[in-house]
Amino acid sequence: MAKKFVNKNGWWGILLLASWPTVLATVITGMVFQLAESGEAGLSAFTAGVVVWMLSAVSVLLIAAIWKNHRHLAIPMAMGAFVAKIVVLGLLLTAVPSPDWLHTTGAAIGALVAIIVWQAAEVLVFINTRRLIYS
């Protein structure tokens, strides 16, 4: 039976182990769109994935920084960071005019891939982090 992975680095481990699959999926999605559609579609998919990754990473970085000295604020900060992430994304979509090179389908799918991969990786790392605490 294979030995199960356990995250022993807390929030920093969650950040690292959710980041690398997201960045890899973002690069692959950008390359697929570049080959299948155009350079603009590939750049759009890659850019959208990077924006999603950055917003997600900032929220985990914020939680990691607060966890060290104020653990009781970690859950409210996580919820606040999630809401702030959605608000910032909404402001970016409405306030910032889209560049001429933006390929909307590529950007939408690039963002969707990054969101799904980040969330899946984060959930798996959370599961393996909890196992360390409660086992």
Side-chain angles (χ1 to χ4, degrees), residues 72-116:
H72 65 283
L73 296 175
I75 298 300
M77 287 305 298
M79 292 170 55
F82 178 77
V83 170
K85 187 170 36 174
I86 300 300
V87 169
V88 167
L89 191 56
L91 287 173
L92 284 174
L93 289 172
T94 57
V96 177
S98 58
D100 294 335
W101 54 266
L102 184 72
H103 185 271
T104 55
T105 303
I109 293 177
L112 182 64
V113 166
I115 289 168
I116 290 170

Side-chain angles (χ1 to χ4, degrees), residues 29-81:
T29 304
M31 289 171 41
V32 166
F33 266 93
Q34 181 162 354
L35 294 173
E37 192 73 32
S38 67
E40 289 83 12
L43 182 60
S44 298
F46 178 76
T47 303
V50 167
V51 168
V52 167
W53 171 78
M54 286 179 13
L55 290 172
S56 299
V58 165
S59 63
V60 173
L61 282 170
L62 178 66
I63 295 166
I66 290 181
W67 182 263
K68 188 173 183 173
N69 296 318
H70 305 286
R71 289 188 180 191
H72 65 283
L73 296 175
I75 298 300
M77 287 305 298
M79 292 170 55

Side-chain angles (χ1 to χ4, degrees), residues 5 13-23 25 52-53 56 60 82 85 111-129:
F5 167 77
I14 291 168
L15 175 65
L16 176 68
L17 295 167
S19 287
W20 76 260
T22 305
V23 171
V52 167
W53 171 78
S56 299
V60 173
F82 178 77
K85 187 170 36 174
L112 182 64
V113 166
I115 289 168
I116 290 170
V117 170
W118 177 276
Q119 290 302 314
E122 192 174 47
V123 166
L124 291 173
V125 177
F126 265 119
I127 289 169
N128 291 317
T129 300

